[in-house]
């Protein structure tokens, strides 16, 4: 089972460049999330989606955009990269069913450095 | 605004010890609390989930308790092993959509 797959694993960007972090899940989950984790810190929610065509801002959305055209994919777009966006990015997904215990599945992360 | 704090930030213990990791949160109106494990360079793996109506959950050598009124949760690890070395994070959710994470406790268990 693939679970949640993120690409790329590592990327170095120059200030002002743009890129998209890809996230796909094969569990037919409705809920998908993007988090960032700075060194020694917990995870901060960037954006999330409760289903195809629906997205909403999290705690730290500035500088990012998302789309959810399919249930499987939830790409994260950085339009004008800044050094403050150097971080590890995690995509996650969860079923909508409350009785399932809301188990959330994470990808292995994407390490992004902006120089 | 919900804030989640984990103490200690780091912990180093010899193999075989029983240990307790602490998590506190400022807003007791939570839907559930989860404990996660994060290995270096990897994503997070869910260990235990406690619904707001529950007091504790157990999985193998792990036991998590929840005291919603005092805003506290503990993760108890029995008979620790070197393979338990990882960062442990707790997270709370107010509704079914979003998790608020603590900063984690980095655990090292040495032989």
């Amino acid at each position: 089972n693939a679970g949640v797959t993120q690409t790329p694993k590592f990327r170095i960007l120059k200030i002002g460049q743009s890129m998209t972090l890809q996230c796909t899940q094969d569990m037919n989950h409705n809920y998908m999330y993007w988090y960032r984790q700075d060194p020694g810190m917990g995870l901060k929610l960037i954006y999330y989606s409760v289903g195809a065509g629906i997205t909403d801002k999290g705690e730290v959305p500035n500088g990012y955009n998302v789309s959810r055209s399919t249930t499987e994919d939830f790409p994260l777009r950085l339009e004008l990269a800044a050094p403050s966006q150097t971080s590890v990015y995690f995509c996650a997904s969860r079923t909508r069913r409350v009785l399932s215990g809301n188990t959330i599945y994470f990808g292995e992360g994407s390490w992004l450095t902006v120089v | 605004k919900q804030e989640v704090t984990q103490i200690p930030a780091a912990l180093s213990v010899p193999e075989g010890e029983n240990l307790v990791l602490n998590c506190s949160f400022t807003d007791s109106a939570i839907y559930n609390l989860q404990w996660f494990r994060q290995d270096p360079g990897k994503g997070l793996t869910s260990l235990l989930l406690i619904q707001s109506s529950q007091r504790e959950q157990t999985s193998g050598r792990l036991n998590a308790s929840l005291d919603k009124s005092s805003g506290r949760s503990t993760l108890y690890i029995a008979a620790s092993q070197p393979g338990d070395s990882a960062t442990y994070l707790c997270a709370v959710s107010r509704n079914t959509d979003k998790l608020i994470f603590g900063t984690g406790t980095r655990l090292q268990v040495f032989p």
Side-chain angles (χ1 to χ4, degrees), chain B residues 19 29 49 79-80 83 90:
Chain B
L19 55 99
L49 181 146
S80 59
C90 70

Side-chain angles (χ1 to χ4, degrees), chain A:
Chain A
N1 292 333
V4 179
T5 302
Q6 293 181 231
T7 57
K9 181 85 170 179
F10 301 96
R11 182 72 186 269
I12 298 175
L13 274 183
K14 293 184 178 178
I15 295 172
Q17 285 187 322
S18 300
M19 75 159 298
T20 300
L21 299 177
Q22 302 290 346
C23 176
T24 186
Q25 51 89 11
D26 61 358
M27 297 172 282
N28 200 33
H29 285 169
N30 293 100
Y31 287 62
M32 294 188 75
Y33 308 83
W34 274 107
Y35 287 91
R36 61 176 285 173
Q37 185 178 33
D38 298 324
M41 305 294 288
L43 280 72
K44 300 289 187 184
L45 181 63
I46 306 171
Y47 271 96
Y48 69 104
S49 169
V50 300
I54 305 169
T55 63
D56 207 348
K57 296 178 181 179
E59 301 171 81
V60 290
N62 292 343
Y64 306 94
N65 280 301
V66 293
S67 60
R68 185 90 184 273
S69 57
T70 68
T71 298
E72 295 79 19
D73 301 308
F74 190 42
L76 178 70
R77 179 85 177 159
L78 285 72
E79 289 294 347
L80 292 170
S84 61
Q85 293 178 304
T86 294
S87 189
V88 184
Y89 292 83
F90 289 99
C91 180
S93 73
R94 180 177 64 80
T95 181
R96 177 168 53 190
R97 292 175 296 170
V98 173
L99 293 179
S100 72
N102 291 321
T103 299
I104 187 168
Y105 297 86
F106 281 83
E108 294 204 334
S110 296
W111 272 252
L112 177 66
T113 301
V114 182
V115 296

Side-chain angles (χ1 to χ4, degrees), chain B residues 62-102:
Chain B
L62 305 180
N63 176 277
S65 67
L66 174 64
D67 184 343
K68 224 176 67 162
S69 61
S70 67
R72 293 181 182 178
S73 175
T74 61
L75 178 66
Y76 176 82
I77 303 177
S80 59
Q81 302 170 359
D84 294 329
S85 298
T87 296
Y88 292 81
L89 297 107
C90 70
V92 299
S93 68
R94 184 179 174 85
N95 54 34
T96 59
D97 296 340
K98 293 175 276 191
L99 291 171
I100 307 297
F101 282 85

